[in-house]
């Protein structure tokens, strides 16, 4: 399992992020406070809000390629 902190500044960034992570088979969750949502859910992530630091958990051993692709969202 790997973890990363991300933040989104616009709904377009969330859409881009979901399109990117949806290409990967392994499960991912996002958490802010007590709220946990599927990282492949646009509405779930929008519910966590913009301009907030969100914890991303990737349930796979090798996530390096994905982490490179989503590095622009790193908080």
């Amino acid at each position: 399992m790997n973890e990363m902190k991300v933040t989104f500044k616009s709904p377009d960034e969330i859409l881009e992020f979901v399109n990117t992570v949806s290409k990967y088979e392994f499960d991912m969750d996002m958490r802010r406070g007590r709220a946990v949502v599927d990282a492949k859910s646009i509405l779930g992530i929008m519910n966590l809000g913009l301009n907030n630091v969100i914890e991303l958990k990737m349930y796979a051993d090798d996530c390096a390629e994905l982490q490179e692709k989503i590095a622009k969202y790193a908080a």
Side-chain angles (χ1 to χ4, degrees):
M1 181 174 76
N2 289 295
E3 292 186 22
M4 183 176 177
K5 294 197 185 305
V6 296
T7 189
F8 304 104
K9 295 179 180 24
S10 73
D12 291 335
E13 284 188 356
I14 294 174
L15 182 60
E16 260 181 58
F17 174 84
V18 170
N19 286 336
T20 302
V21 298
S22 293
K23 295 175 184 169
Y24 293 84
E25 300 260 333
F26 51 86
D27 292 328
M28 294 172 252
D29 288 329
M30 299 189 87
R31 183 170 75 94
R32 183 173 149 247
R34 292 187 305 178
V36 178
V37 299
D38 185 344
K40 298 176 185 178
S41 167
I42 294 171
L43 291 176
I45 298 172
M46 285 190 177
N47 189 43
L48 297 178
L50 298 173
N51 299 313
N52 292 313
V53 176
I54 302 169
E55 213 176 289
L56 170 65
K57 289 189 180 190
M58 297 163 273
Y59 301 101
D61 293 329
D62 185 22
C63 303
E65 180 186 331
L66 175 59
Q67 286 177 318
E68 279 180 34
K69 288 185 178 185
I70 61 174
K72 63 183 173 183
Y73 307 114

